[in-house]
Amino acid sequence: MARNKNCAAFKEFLEYKVYILDKFLDKFGKSYDNVETLRDRWFHEYAYTADREEFLIQISKLYLRIFPKTRDLKFLNALTNHMADYLSEYTMRDKEYTSKEDIRAARKAEKAALKKALYTENSYIQTLVFNKNKKGIYNTNQSDSITKSKRTRIEHAKRDRLIHKQVQAEFIDVSQYKTKI
């Protein structure tokens, strides 16, 4: 993630981290906890429950719908990658692991599951994908018809120019036979 710190998706992700922690603390937090004091320790401070995981996923989907300034799919894909990585630290805590390989494998599996929930199966994202594909299909057909009509106009213009040159040549020929006074 170090190389991506300057990209727009990472900047949006930093705003998301504050947002999600604030919402989490509003619902499940202790009275003395706040965003500034917990930062990235919250997923170790609070015990895992399926209700909390579902809440985090729903709030994340809401964030994707409301806050990003762009609806670009590459941006949203990168943002959901960051979000899934961040939330997987908490959601992998549903079981105890004995070795570091188990921890890595569980984290990777949780990231994939969260990515699926936030991006692949997210109805909002899928609507954006559908609309983009639909727009692409219509634009392709429209651009084909535009090129066809443009080609037709060019052919008509060439023909009209040829006729104009022929008529001009006839006028020049006729003007030679004019009687001069």
Side-chain angles (χ1 to χ4, degrees), residues 39-54:
R39 297 215 177 241
D40 291 336
R41 294 178 306 130
W42 68 273
F43 28 71
H44 299 293
E45 301 272 332
Y46 288 90
Y48 172 85
T49 65
D51 292 340
R52 290 176 181 174
E53 178 180 355
E54 187 59 33

Side-chain angles (χ1 to χ4, degrees), residues 7 19 28 54 60 66 77-78 80 83 85 97 106 131 157 166:
C7 75
Y19 174 81
F28 302 107
E54 187 59 33
S60 297
I66 295 174
N77 188 23
T80 54
M83 293 164 77
D85 183 48
Y97 304 100
N131 288 339
Q166 289 173 349

Side-chain angles (χ1 to χ4, degrees), residues 1-7 10 82:
M1 262 205 240
R3 65 179 179 195
N4 295 330
K5 286 191 177 182
N6 293 327
C7 75
F10 189 78
H82 291 302

Side-chain angles (χ1 to χ4, degrees), residues 164-177:
H164 176 71
K165 284 186 175 186
Q166 289 173 349
V167 169
Q168 192 176 21
E170 287 295 322
F171 276 120
I172 290 172
D173 285 344
V174 170
S175 68
Q176 291 175 354
Y177 298 115

Side-chain angles (χ1 to χ4, degrees), residues 61-77:
K61 286 180 179 180
L62 178 68
Y63 184 88
L64 287 170
R65 186 178 290 261
I66 295 174
F67 287 105
K69 296 171 183 79
T70 181
R71 300 295 180 240
D72 180 56
L73 292 174
K74 288 182 182 178
F75 171 83
L76 293 173
N77 188 23

Side-chain angles (χ1 to χ4, degrees), residues 100-155:
K100 288 191 178 197
E101 289 97 23
D102 291 342
I103 292 172
R104 272 190 234 118
R107 179 97 186 256
K108 188 175 181 179
E110 284 298 322
K111 278 197 273 190
L114 286 166
K115 176 67 176 182
K116 184 177 178 183
L118 295 176
Y119 190 82
T120 310
E121 295 178 349
N122 186 345
S123 62
Y124 173 68
I125 301 285
Q126 293 312 305
T127 302
L128 291 176
V129 170
F130 176 76
N131 288 339
K132 181 179 181 194
N133 290 340
K134 184 172 80 172
K135 185 177 179 184
I137 290 168
Y138 288 129
N139 283 348
T140 303
N141 293 341
Q142 187 179 12
S143 67
D144 287 345
S145 65
I146 287 172
T147 25
K148 186 176 181 181
S149 67
K150 187 175 181 180
R151 198 173 322 119
T152 306
R153 281 185 297 178
I154 290 171
E155 289 171 7

